[in-house]
């Protein structure tokens, strides 16, 4: 079975940076889009960034100019700069795998606090 595992979360000061990583493993024949979502305490899950197999990207308005998504083979990354307290959330990677399978990681916690 296909699995996604996130890493790179932690505690960071406002204005700081973190890079999240996610790797896919298992019986993978293809990966279409890869995505980062986040869910803050008491809030709904939010799509943060998307990258297609062709490399095109899209970002939530709240993170444009601060976050960058990238991918390489079975890896997807989220570079987060100029972090704000409102970025505090559990971040999840997500991928469309083998044409039809929508796979989720378990999440990594990012806390932005002074």
């Amino acid at each position: 079975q296909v699995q996604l595992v996130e890493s790179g979360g932690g505690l960071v000061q406002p204005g700081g940076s973190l890079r999240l990583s996610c790797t896919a493993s298992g019986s993978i024949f293809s990966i279409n889009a890869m995505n980062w979502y986040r869910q803050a305490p008491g809030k709904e899950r939010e799509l943060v960034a998307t990258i297609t197999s062709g490399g095109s990207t899209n970002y939530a308005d709240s993170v444009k100019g601060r976050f960058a998504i990238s991918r390489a083979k079975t890896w997807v990354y989220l570079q987060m700069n100029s972090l704000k307290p409102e970025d505090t959330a559990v971040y999840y990677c997500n991928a469309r795998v083998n044409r039809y399978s929508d796979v989720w990681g378990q999440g990594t916690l990012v806390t932005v606090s002074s």
Side-chain angles (χ1 to χ4, degrees), residues 5-10 17-22 36-38 67-68 70 75-80 89-93 108-110:
V5 179
E6 304 97 335
S7 63
S17 297
L18 285 174
R19 188 184 70 169
L20 305 183
S21 300
C22 175
W36 285 98
Y37 287 81
R38 68 185 181 188
F67 290 11
S70 60
W75 291 81
V76 62
Y77 306 94
L78 186 68
Q79 178 66 46
M80 305 185 296
V90 177
Y91 285 72
Y92 300 90
C93 62
T108 185
L109 177 63
V110 173

Side-chain angles (χ1 to χ4, degrees), residues 4 33 35 37 45 94-97 99-104:
L4 298 177
N35 312 290
Y37 287 81
R45 187 176 63 185
N94 162 262
R96 184 66 51 81
V97 177
R99 297 183 65 194
Y100 62 89
S101 296
D102 202 30
V103 184
W104 293 85

Side-chain angles (χ1 to χ4, degrees), residues 31-86:
I31 302 176
N32 191 6
M34 301 190 78
N35 312 290
W36 285 98
Y37 287 81
R38 68 185 181 188
Q39 188 163 25
K43 298 184 179 179
E44 65 184 8
R45 187 176 63 185
E46 174 189 21
L47 177 60
V48 176
T50 295
I51 185 165
T52 69
S53 60
S56 63
T57 60
N58 283 288
Y59 299 92
D61 288 342
S62 59
V63 307
K64 285 181 179 177
R66 300 189 298 119
F67 290 11
I69 188 171
S70 60
R71 65 186 291 179
K73 295 293 289 183
T74 61
W75 291 81
V76 62
Y77 306 94
L78 186 68
Q79 178 66 46
M80 305 185 296
N81 301 320
S82 301
L83 284 161
K84 304 174 180 179
E86 51 263 46

Side-chain angles (χ1 to χ4, degrees), residues 12-16 82-85 112-114:
V12 64
Q13 295 277 102
S82 301
L83 284 161
K84 304 174 180 179
V112 184
S113 176
S114 59

